[in-house]
Amino acid sequence: MQFKTNAKCQGCSSTILKAVRNRFPNEEWSLDLSTADKVLECHGVPDNGEMAAQVVKTIEETGFKGSWIKNA
């Protein structure tokens, strides 16, 4: 699953990654600051609306914006 974020720097990335790793410790996460959408990715997890909502909520709890990039 992928999420668009408004992370701007490594500090932003670290804050978001810490939060999602704490809430979802069994998943593998990465955040790519080199893309225009600053994509947060949960590797190996199929698209799931319920989990996506939890991830977006977790991102927003850190003070950042996040939105699910739903695969068509």
Side-chain angles (χ1 to χ4, degrees):
M1 286 197 307
Q2 295 183 329
F3 302 85
K4 179 178 178 178
T5 73
N6 66 335
K8 292 183 170 65
C9 66
Q10 194 58 44
C12 300
S13 174
S14 294
T15 299
I16 293 169
L17 287 171
K18 181 179 178 184
V20 294
R21 287 176 177 153
N22 283 340
R23 182 155 298 168
F24 307 100
N26 297 324
E27 311 304 339
E28 183 182 336
W29 297 93
S30 66
L31 201 156
D32 187 355
L33 293 173
S34 69
T35 63
D37 288 338
K38 312 302 186 209
V39 175
L40 170 69
E41 184 170 3
C42 183
H43 303 278
V45 176
D47 281 356
N48 174 307
E50 185 178 323
M51 183 172 176
Q54 292 178 33
V55 173
V56 169
K57 181 180 177 186
T58 303
I59 294 168
E60 290 173 349
E61 287 172 351
T62 66
F64 294 95
K65 294 180 182 177
S67 60
W68 182 25
I69 303 171
K70 189 173 181 181
N71 290 331

